[in-house]
Amino acid sequence: MKRKRSFVILRYVIIIYVLLMVVGAVTLLSSDLAFTKWVYRLPGTLLTKTTLATNGADRWDGDTDITLPAFDFSPSGSNAVSVSDLFENYYNTHNGMNNLGKPLTVAFPTGYGWFQFFESGALLSPVAYQSHKLDTEDLLADLVHNGIKNSDTGIVRLPLLQTLLAVGSQAHVGGDGSTLTYVDLRRATNPDLMPFAPTGKGTAASASQQKTFVKGGTRAGKDVGHFIPAQFWNYINRADVSPDGWMADFGAPLTEAIPFTMVENGVTHQMQVQVFWRDGLIFDQNTADASAQPVISRLDTGTAYLRTVGPPDVVVSTQKSAWAQANTALLNTPNAGQAIAHVGPDYPLTLLGDTTWNKGTLWYHVQWTTPKHNGTAWTTANSLTFSSPGNVAAWASLDLLSPDLGTYLTNLGSNVGVMVYDVTRHSYYSYNANSQLMMASSTKVPIMLTFFDMIEQQGREPDDDEMNLLTTMIENSNNDSASALYYGEIGGASGIANYLQKIGISGMTPNPDAWGYSTITPQAMVNLLTLLYSGKILTPHHRDLAISLMEQVEPDQQVGVGDTAPQGATVALKDGWVTDENNLWVMNSSGIVTLGQETYITAIYTQGMTSLDDGQAIARHVAGSIASLLI
């Protein structure tokens, strides 16, 4: 009798123990009441580990890691990025705007290749790597290993969702107003939550429930898996959503469709999410009106990954070449640093190997080199390209050539414009170089060039009187000679305008009534002198004659470029000065300077000066600084 009573007691103890274990398991699997209710509603739910999973869901079985989002990836509008050239073809052929969303980061190099993150995913342009790198204990290596490589482009789409589940990201699914996290999604992948297959064959759709069953394993000899609701099933079978087929692009389902709520702009949305092996989908059941279609979109795995795990380590070799893509400020420190120099399109820079992220922006530590000055600074990754532009001219501000000269010019303001072309190194340096400034006697250079072009069209050489006018106009800066050629020979303002249009020079506005009041940009004057120097305009004879005249300008007309040139240099120049309608002084100096194998072409324009001495002092200071910096 005692033995029977002991057996009954033992049986009750076992029953109570099992019940406690079941309650504990349910509590562990449920993070909130809504999720708990969803688990209890699953058909065929079992909480004992008797399932053999074939869909990969057992990968996270028993994982307890929890990771709080700790990285701020919220790029500002001023640093908005575009799809990299590396991924543009894949992005366009795979409906990237809908399937990946907008880019969050620039493309950046890692040990595995080039990464770029998007709102709903990430792409990799891989490089060759050793097999030992693909250690499954390394989350990044595992991510690369499980990615899907496109055979046409070689681009790999990375399954970010798998990493978010593995680390137990507490990022909210769909946004901060969501009641669900990726930890909840991981719990829902428990293989023992897979319901039994419906009566009938494996993957057939149930017309009554509007769901499609996909096998994901077996339990007690019976098929188990997950049901894909009609709205998700129809979506993943669209060609624009799954170009390579839904099984390749999404993989087998890992959960049922899970209900949750999300508050957006004060409005509560009834949502569903379903997780697949490589991606997940969100279904917004709220509609604006009865005719509107519910919205289905991919999970924001790119945003969640970056906020949770952070970007992979950037791997760049020191002394790697890069080029500016547009006008770019170089800062002394990342993000909020002070601009110490400015570069323009195609200017070459060298990476020093240091990188840092600030919110969603990657910064590179770079170095530049000029003939007499090297410097280092920080710039954003989206302002650079690693593809060589080829043999094109580089552009930068004069503060890159010399910080002191840059500061000097900045203090002078908008009444000064400077352009320098380092012919030897194919580089331009500028300050306010596109402003229209008065020409004074520098107009005599385009008058001369227009005249030579005119007689070339006529098939003749200048007569003695014309040669005398040319010589006195250039070498002695005789205004009467200039007027005789301007009004009497070349057709005045329209003659110059037509010639400049013919040779592709813009930026000069000839004055029909007073040639000295014509205006030009410093860049246009440098461009004109460059065409002359390089022999791209005029016959060789007339080119040599024009340069010879400019090389023989009398000494008192050589203020600026001429009287500051390095000793022994050959200088072909033309200066100009005059008072404007406000009785303020205009002064400029332009020329071609050559010493040995070094050549540069410069134009320095000033206006609004209270005295001629002020303008000449500026021209001498700037021209002398340029000479010392380039030769």
Side-chain angles (χ1 to χ4, degrees):
M1 191 71 177
K2 287 182 180 181
R3 182 177 302 173
K4 184 176 181 180
R5 185 180 302 148
S6 298
F7 177 76
V8 171
I9 293 173
L10 179 60
R11 184 173 61 182
Y12 281 122
V13 168
I14 292 172
I15 292 172
I16 292 171
Y17 176 77
V18 170
L19 288 173
L20 287 174
M21 290 296 291
V22 170
V23 171
V26 171
T27 302
L28 180 63
L29 286 169
S30 305
S31 62
D32 56 33
L33 182 58
F35 191 77
T36 302
K37 291 179 178 178
W38 172 80
V39 170
Y40 281 133
R41 287 203 304 270
L42 284 178
T45 296
L46 293 177
L47 295 180
T48 55
K49 297 186 178 182
T50 58
T51 304
L52 297 177
T54 58
N55 61 356
D58 54 340
R59 174 180 175 182
W60 301 283
D61 195 17
D63 281 4
T64 58
D65 290 343
I66 302 293
T67 307
L68 289 169
F71 294 88
D72 183 3
F73 273 83
S74 50
S76 64
S78 60
N79 287 326
V81 295
S82 57
V83 179
S84 167
D85 292 344
L86 292 170
F87 304 112
E88 188 172 16
N89 183 40
Y90 179 96
Y91 190 87
N92 292 336
T93 57
H94 286 72
N95 193 19
M97 182 55 71
N98 289 329
N99 292 336
L100 287 163
K102 296 177 182 178
L104 296 177
T105 70
V106 297
F108 58 93
T110 73
Y112 294 103
W114 287 78
F115 275 73
Q116 185 165 24
F117 282 84
F118 301 82
E119 292 169 320
S120 298
L123 298 177
L124 167 67
S125 179
V127 295
Y129 43 76
Q130 300 297 323
S131 59
H132 71 267
K133 280 190 174 181
L134 293 178
D135 179 2
T136 55
E137 296 299 317
D138 177 0
L139 286 173
L140 184 58
D142 197 39
L143 186 67
V144 173
H145 179 69
N146 288 322
I148 295 299
K149 186 173 184 178
N150 180 260
S151 58
D152 294 331
T153 63
I155 300 303
V156 178
R157 178 159 181 161
L158 302 171
L160 302 183
L161 176 62
Q162 295 180 9
T163 300
L164 292 169
L165 298 179
V167 302
S169 171
Q170 285 199 327
H172 291 275
V173 175
D176 291 337
S178 167
T179 59
L180 205 66
T181 71
Y182 286 89
V183 175
D184 297 325
L185 295 184
R186 183 175 66 187
R187 294 191 184 105
T189 65
N190 186 330
D192 290 319
L193 295 178
M194 283 192 281
F196 286 106
T199 303
K201 293 188 177 180
T203 61
S206 167
S208 60
Q209 295 182 342
Q210 289 297 299
K211 294 181 180 181
T212 299
F213 179 81
V214 177
K215 180 181 175 180
T218 59
R219 184 186 305 123
K222 296 181 179 180
D223 290 345
V224 293
H226 289 292
F227 291 89
I228 305 177
Q231 66 271 13
F232 287 152
W233 179 251
N234 294 335
Y235 185 81
I236 64 176
N237 278 280
R238 282 168 39 183
D240 61 326
V241 172
S242 303
D244 300 318
W246 74 268
M247 183 56 79
D249 289 335
F250 284 87
L254 301 179
T255 70
E256 293 293 289
I258 305 170
F260 70 104
T261 60
M262 185 167 65
V263 178
E264 193 171 40
N265 298 323
V267 177
T268 299
H269 290 249
Q270 302 299 321
M271 312 290 290
Q272 280 187 332
V273 61
Q274 187 161 27
V275 171
F276 298 79
W277 175 243
R278 296 187 185 91
D279 215 333
L281 293 173
I282 288 183
F283 173 43
D284 187 345
Q285 301 177 80
N286 286 41
T287 57
D289 54 61
S291 63
Q293 292 296 318
V295 177
I296 295 177
S297 59
R298 303 224 182 192
L299 286 177
D300 55 347
T301 52
T303 303
Y305 184 99
L306 290 171
R307 292 186 62 200
T308 305
V309 181
D313 291 338
V314 181
V315 178
V316 291
S317 57
T318 59
Q319 303 304 304
K320 181 177 177 60
S321 296
W323 291 264
Q325 299 195 85
N327 294 328
T328 302
L330 304 179
L331 309 186
N332 59 347
T333 59
N335 192 40
Q338 179 183 357
I340 56 178
H342 299 79
V343 294
D346 304 320
Y347 198 88
L349 298 164
T350 302
L351 271 60
L352 296 176
D354 308 70
T355 63
T356 187
W357 290 90
N358 184 277
K359 295 188 176 181
T361 302
L362 174 62
W363 291 78
Y364 286 116
H365 199 192
V366 298
Q367 181 182 45
W368 71 89
T369 300
T370 64
K372 301 292 180 67
H373 172 67
N374 297 337
T376 63
W378 290 85
T379 191
T380 58
N382 60 318
S383 67
L384 300 179
T385 177
F386 295 99
S387 299
S388 171
N391 186 30
V392 298
W395 292 77
S397 294
L398 275 163
D399 56 12
L400 191 87
L401 195 61
S402 165
D404 291 341
L405 182 57
T407 300
Y408 172 81
L409 290 169
T410 300
N411 291 335
L412 292 173
S414 60
N415 279 331
V416 179
V418 182
M419 188 70 177
V420 184
Y421 175 39
D422 182 353
V423 178
T424 307
R425 298 165 191 84
H426 208 22
S427 299
Y428 289 92
Y429 302 94
S430 66
Y431 171 79
N432 201 29
N434 288 308
S435 293
Q436 289 277 333
L437 300 167
M438 196 176 294
M439 296 182 71
S441 285
S442 66
T443 311
K444 294 166 183 175
V445 172
I447 290 174
M448 174 180 64
L449 300 181
T450 302
F451 173 81
F452 278 130
D453 181 72
M454 180 192 73
I455 65 172
E456 287 178 5
Q457 304 309 309
Q458 296 171 354
R460 67 180 183 87
E461 293 298 318
D463 59 29
D464 291 343
D465 288 340
E466 290 169 335
M467 196 64 228
N468 181 63
L469 291 174
L470 287 168
T471 301
T472 55
M473 177 181 72
I474 298 297
E475 294 183 5
N476 311 116
S477 201
N478 186 284
N479 292 336
D480 291 337
S481 298
S483 295
L485 290 169
Y486 188 70
Y487 298 110
E489 296 272 3
I490 66 171
S494 61
I496 289 182
N498 290 337
Y499 174 62
L500 294 179
Q501 183 179 21
K502 171 184 173 181
I503 62 175
I505 294 292
S506 60
M508 179 181 174
T509 305
N511 189 305
D513 301 317
W515 52 261
Y517 281 13
S518 299
T519 61
I520 198 169
T521 67
Q523 180 176 333
M525 178 56 82
V526 166
N527 290 344
L528 185 61
L529 293 178
T530 300
L531 290 178
L532 176 63
Y533 172 79
S534 62
K536 294 181 179 178
I537 57 175
L538 306 184
T539 64
H541 171 64
H542 291 147
R543 169 195 175 273
D544 292 344
L545 182 54
I547 290 178
S548 176
L549 291 172
M550 294 174 66
E551 289 175 349
Q552 298 179 67
V553 170
E554 62 186 54
D556 64 346
Q557 297 287 327
Q558 296 190 26
V559 179
V561 175
D563 60 9
T564 64
Q567 186 175 4
T570 301
V571 184
L573 68 112
K574 191 71 195 80
D575 293 347
W577 53 80
V578 71
T579 54
D580 62 18
E581 64 275 10
N582 298 315
N583 207 33
L584 295 174
W585 280 93
V586 169
M587 195 277 156
N588 55 70
S589 182
S590 305
I592 305 166
V593 181
T594 299
L595 180 63
Q597 301 300 313
E598 302 281 343
T599 298
Y600 66 87
I601 301 171
T602 187
I604 304 160
Y605 278 75
T606 72
Q607 67 182 19
M609 300 295 151
T610 57
S611 71
L612 177 59
D613 287 344
D614 289 345
Q616 291 180 334
I618 292 171
R620 284 191 174 103
H621 180 86
V622 175
S625 297
I626 291 169
S628 66
L629 292 165
L630 293 180
I631 296 182

